Amino acid sequence: MDSLNAFARVKLAALERSSLRRSLSETTRLEGPWVLRDGRRMLSFCCNDYLNLSTHPDVVAAALAATRQYGVGAGGSRLVTGNHPLYAALEARLARLKGTEDACVFGSGYLANAGIIPALAGRHDLLLVDELAHACIWTGAQLSSGSILSFRHNDVAHVAQLLAGARASHRHALILTDSVFSMDGDLAPLHALAALAEAHDCWLMTDDAHGIGVLGGGRGAVHEGERPAPVPLQMGTLSKAIGGYGGYLCASRPVIDLIRTRARTFIYATGLPPGTVAAAIAALDLIAAQPDYAALPVQKARLFTTLVGLPAAASPIVPVILGEAPAALAASQLLAEAGFLVSAIRPPTVPAGTSRLRFTFTAQHPDEAIARLAALVRTRILGRPA
Ligand SMILES: *Cc1c(COP(=O)(O)O)cnc(C)c1O
């Protein structure tokens, strides 16, 4: 026991010295983008609840009604007794939204990636992963026991070069990328990646955690632009713009049937609570009914980038990269004193030397508050003229 505690203490002390120790701060969500932290009402620019649906009355009412009708828990894995009737409705809506034959819902986005990737790729296969892909894509890739090659961020020529060298010696190949990068807010070149995948008999899987609900009229990053990118494996989460919890894969019927039979995080994990599934259904119905509302988070992010003088936002996520961890922590503190909650993002979430403030914008952020925030960032953090 002593060596265990000593190990933990030494590790923590080293993290503390490099400003990398993390701690939990109790935060209560109030209405819209407002939160309560340390007894203070603050405006949060670090929630992924882009459409503020987590507190929407219709979504909350749907969760309460389903909980009363079916109880608080699913009671088992979906393959045993946990597949309550709401699942079919949710999966049909997701497939329709994404334009695929079928969909499969998981307990979370993390569980989805940890289950889907090893169910599709194994020892003889090649996995090509964007270097900035989300941690759970890496988890899934590692669990597959395939050969993993990482490609330079959004560098299609690098993917082509890696495929030319390694594709022939592997049975199958899978390209894995976020469609909207969670810490940078930029979009993957989906059409170019899809064309390359096609040319090399390679499968393309995108993680649309930050695209669903806010890009492509609410349908996600694949539906940005004039025609949808042909992406056969569209994974995402119900925990961000959809406002609740859960993950999903949208794909063809045979692929979804295989995933339901083989993905370990689907088979050996309890189904989502009925209230959570009902909330997601209600949220997707609101998004389908109001595509203009879905466009608001990106519009708010663009207002901010214009006022600060940054490149135009492509998504609701805007990074301001400050370098070392202490600089990001100090900037976060400065904004907190002005009533804005913006967390500092440090390694290992982002590469060393790129610690940053990560701003996220939601449909209900008041423009006036965005203007005050932008002025502070511009003058006090970036040291630019007012
Ligand atoms: C948040 C996130 C996930 C994980 O989703 P959860 O539902 O929170 O587990 C996966 N991928 C990306 C890109 C994310 O940002």
Side-chain angles (χ1 to χ4, degrees):
M1 225 3 231
D2 273 358
S3 69
L4 176 59
N5 287 327
F7 162 77
R9 284 199 198 96
V10 167
K11 276 274 195 200
L12 286 171
L15 290 165
E16 186 84 50
R17 276 194 301 279
S18 41
S19 299
L20 296 180
R21 178 160 179 182
R22 299 173 180 220
S23 57
L24 296 165
S25 302
E26 205 167 276
T27 311
T28 307
R29 308 281 310 285
L30 303 172
E31 73 287 353
W34 294 92
V35 300
L36 199 63
R37 166 81 61 98
D38 300 331
R40 263 178 88 203
R41 194 177 148 86
M42 298 177 80
L43 188 56
S44 170
F45 284 90
C46 49
C47 283
N48 301 318
D49 185 14
Y50 300 120
L51 299 174
N52 313 105
L53 293 182
S54 71
T55 52
H56 190 290
D58 294 1
V59 177
V60 173
L64 290 173
T67 303
R68 287 212 179 86
Q69 185 172 358
Y70 298 111
V72 293
S77 160
R78 291 184 58 193
L79 287 166
V80 184
T81 51
N83 197 43
H84 50 76
L86 297 167
Y87 265 115
L90 176 56
E91 290 176 339
R93 274 174 182 71
L94 284 166
R96 192 179 331 131
L97 184 77
K98 296 286 178 179
T100 58
E101 281 176 4
D102 207 348
C104 176
V105 169
F106 287 79
S108 72
Y110 200 108
L111 286 172
N113 275 332
I116 297 161
I117 300 168
L120 296 176
R123 214 150 51 81
H124 305 291
D125 302 322
L126 176 65
L127 297 103
L128 296 154
V129 188
D130 188 289
E131 63 184 343
L132 297 188
H134 192 267
C136 58
I137 293 185
W138 289 98
T139 299
Q142 281 153 4
L143 287 172
S144 77
S145 346
S147 327
I148 304 174
L149 295 177
S150 111
F151 58 90
R152 287 190 294 273
H153 177 51
N154 277 351
D155 188 338
V156 178
H158 193 204
V159 185
Q161 190 192 328
L162 294 173
L163 279 170
R167 175 68 188 93
S169 53
H170 292 87
R171 183 182 56 174
H172 299 133
L174 179 59
I175 299 174
L176 297 164
T177 184
D178 293 22
S179 54
V180 180
F181 284 84
S182 53
M183 296 299 136
D184 292 79
D186 55 343
L187 310 187
L190 295 183
H191 284 282
L193 287 174
L196 199 57
E198 173 78 38
H200 290 266
D201 182 25
C202 181
W203 308 332
L204 174 60
M205 175 165 158
T206 55
D207 178 335
D208 202 39
H210 299 277
I212 187 171
V214 290
L215 294 179
R219 301 183 70 188
V222 156
H223 291 270
E224 275 287 288
E226 279 168 19
R227 63 197 160 85
V231 178
L233 298 161
Q234 301 184 46
M235 172 273 164
T237 172
L238 304 170
S239 330
K240 285 156 187 168
I242 311 304
Y245 203 60
Y248 65 84
L249 176 69
C250 291
S252 67
R253 185 144 302 126
V255 169
I256 295 298
D257 285 345
L258 176 68
I259 290 296
R260 289 194 181 121
T261 306
R262 296 296 292 173
R264 293 171 64 85
T265 56
F266 178 85
I267 302 170
Y268 300 110
T270 301
L272 283 168
T276 303
V277 177
I281 293 170
L284 289 170
D285 286 348
L286 286 168
I287 291 167
Q290 303 177 45
D292 292 350
Y293 186 71
L296 285 177
V298 179
Q299 285 170 24
K300 302 278 181 183
R302 292 213 173 117
L303 172 63
F304 177 77
T305 50
T306 303
L307 293 173
V308 179
L310 298 169
S315 73
I317 303 165
V318 178
V320 171
I321 295 173
L322 297 169
E324 298 310 317
L329 289 172
S332 170
Q333 184 60 33
L334 185 146
L335 294 178
E337 280 155 20
F340 298 120
L341 186 63
V342 184
S343 45
I345 309 285
R346 297 166 279 166
T349 308
V350 293
T354 72
S355 287
R356 65 195 66 189
L357 292 176
R358 171 181 178 269
F359 299 84
T360 55
F361 293 84
T362 75
Q364 291 175 23
H365 274 115
D367 289 355
E368 153 281 313
I370 294 174
R372 273 191 293 120
L373 174 70
L376 268 180
V377 172
R378 192 182 165 95
T379 58
R380 300 282 308 282
I381 293 174
L382 297 175
R384 297 183 185 171

